[in-house]
Amino acid sequence: MTTTVFDDVHEVAHVRIAQHAKLVVIAPATANLLAKAANGLADDLLTSTLLMSRAPVVFAPAMHTEMWNHPATQQNVATLRARGLLVIEPATGRLTGADSGQGRLPEPAALAEVCEAVLDRGTGVADLAGKNVLISAGGTREPLDPVRFLGNRSSGRQGWALAAAAVARGAVVQVVAANVELADPAGATVVKVGTSEELHKAILERASGADVVVMAAAVADFRPTEVSVGKIKKTDDQSVPQLELVRTVDVLAELGANKGEGPLLVGFAAETVEPGPNLLELASAKLAAKGADLVVANSVGVDRGFENSYNAVTIVSENGVERDVASTSKAGVANAVWDVVLQHLPRAGD
Ligand code: CTP
């Protein structure tokens, strides 16, 4: 059964729905709906509810590229954003019919992550609007031969949560993703890489245009000196291959060494020690060694940190502990990181 604004008039459905909502999500938001919302039209239950609600609003537009790029739509989007409402950039890919381009609705799970970030903060205020954010996520893989690699257990979830929270706060977000098997984050541009060398190149190409670089990826510190062209075979004499490794570039340290007027630098320190003084000491040492402005230290072990979605962290700067975040959702950790980042933007001395 469809509920309309004119059913059960005495119950004023749009008032009841609007007053109960903690968050309003419109997905997909058509060009027509964006136009109505921008102009405050209220000629059906949805638009009446929208006008009535004081909850944060998330629009996830979906339409053909031409309609999205039309000056009328872009003006409506600008009006909604100026009013403090969140309009997520549509994804790029296959559209309805044979066409491709920007205009796709992001995957529901990715949209839900942006909504979680808004709900976690309890406000949709776009305090990162106008900021360009570059995030590395996932874990690099260094090939040994065509079928094997040296890798790590990073799932990319924390980087994804950081991207979702930055989108939820109105930033322009680029993610350099190393081997992440999750649906692309909503509202962000994703650059896919495999090895530490590819990640290094992708980050360097984009860092100078960013206000903040957050290195959440687990980047390999070593890679095989040579990659075997064919699969490395067992031999009959029971011997094992001796792997020779070389150091990779430390991307964060390189950015830190050339900081100048560059972006605010945020590193992650995954350490196998319990939270406490030891973790703080390791994080502060990493901050200094890499020239980062902030380091987000987390304690990782077999059963925490990497693959699960809860993550307690300590955020440090050269002044010591900026924020201790008790075990919370990855959205909570991500919002805490952006809160501290905002306190440090623009970087002292800029
Ligand atoms: N990092 C990087 N380039 C590398 C290795 C790490 O940019 N080649 C970044 C990570 O993205 C992270 C920070 O440096 O933001 C710290 O990474 P971590 O793995 O905790 O420390 P490492 O520098 O690798 O030191 P160690 O493994 O000895 O603890």
Side-chain angles (χ1 to χ4, degrees):
M1 195 187 86
T2 315
T3 308
T4 81
V5 76
F6 305 113
D7 291 341
D8 300 323
V9 172
H10 61 286
E11 279 196 18
V12 275
H14 63 291
V15 173
R16 184 167 35 84
I17 295 168
Q19 286 176 342
H20 278 82
K22 286 201 170 62
L23 176 71
V24 178
V25 185
I26 303 182
T30 60
N32 184 52
L33 186 278
L34 295 174
K36 282 183 169 187
N39 289 287
L41 266 65
D43 62 351
D44 57 17
L45 185 59
L46 176 57
T47 47
S48 308
T49 306
L50 201 50
L51 208 55
M52 179 68 209
S53 173
R54 293 295 173 270
V57 182
V58 178
F59 293 96
M63 63 197 74
H64 254 65
T65 313
E66 292 82 348
M67 291 178 88
W68 172 248
N69 285 334
H70 195 286
T73 305
Q74 285 302 309
Q75 201 170 352
N76 291 330
V77 168
T79 301
L80 293 166
R81 285 180 177 159
R83 215 177 272 156
L85 308 178
L86 184 68
V87 185
I88 295 177
E89 287 291 310
T92 298
R94 184 74 188 267
L95 305 170
T96 310
D99 299 330
S100 293
Q102 192 182 11
R104 264 180 78 81
L105 190 69
E107 291 301 315
L111 269 179
E113 208 164 357
V114 173
C115 297
E116 266 171 53
V118 175
L119 283 172
D120 170 77
R121 215 159 57 103
T123 166
V125 172
D127 53 1
L128 283 172
K131 300 289 181 220
N132 284 296
V133 162
L134 177 61
I135 300 165
S136 71
T140 59
R141 291 178 181 175
E142 310 303 323
L144 285 161
D145 67 16
V147 295
R148 301 185 182 92
F149 57 81
L150 293 178
N152 60 69
R153 294 173 54 197
S154 177
S155 64
R157 282 206 180 87
Q158 186 62 70
W160 251 228
L162 283 158
V167 166
R169 297 168 81 142
V172 175
V173 181
Q174 293 186 84
V175 183
V176 173
N179 310 297
V180 181
E181 284 169 10
L182 306 165
D184 282 357
T189 309
V190 181
V191 181
K192 296 197 164 128
V193 296
T195 64
S196 59
E197 208 172 311
E198 288 164 8
L199 183 138
H200 175 221
K201 187 164 172 282
I203 291 286
L204 278 207
E205 279 170 8
R206 291 163 181 83
S208 61
D211 295 290
V212 191
V213 177
V214 182
M215 288 293 299
V219 188
D221 294 319
F222 322 100
R223 65 178 166 77
T225 311
E226 278 177 22
V227 182
S228 170
V229 182
K231 186 180 166 198
I232 301 169
K233 305 290 277 180
K234 289 195 292 289
T235 51
D236 292 339
D237 63 0
Q238 301 298 319
S239 68
V240 290
Q242 300 299 307
L243 292 181
E244 198 189 311
L245 303 174
V246 282
R247 290 283 292 267
T248 58
V249 175
D250 189 319
V251 184
L252 182 59
E254 187 176 298
L255 293 173
N258 301 299
K259 202 149 56 175
E261 297 293 292
L264 190 91
L265 298 178
V266 184
F268 268 70
E271 307 291 354
T272 48
V273 295
E274 291 297 319
N278 291 342
L279 184 62
L280 176 61
E281 201 175 304
L282 289 170
S284 299
K286 235 167 229 185
L287 179 99
K290 303 207 180 204
D293 296 288
L294 297 169
V295 161
V296 183
N298 64 335
S299 160
V300 295
V302 176
D303 58 354
R304 60 174 191 276
F306 268 131
E307 273 144 6
N308 53 358
S309 17
Y310 291 85
N311 202 354
V313 301
T314 300
I315 305 172
V316 300
S317 72
E318 60 182 5
N319 305 321
V321 176
E322 294 277 339
R323 184 84 71 100
D324 262 322
V325 189
S327 185
T328 176
S329 63
K330 287 205 171 175
V333 171
N335 273 327
V337 171
W338 295 124
D339 287 344
V340 177
V341 162
L342 272 165
Q343 287 165 3
H344 288 257
L345 274 178
R347 192 145 42 78
D350 284 358

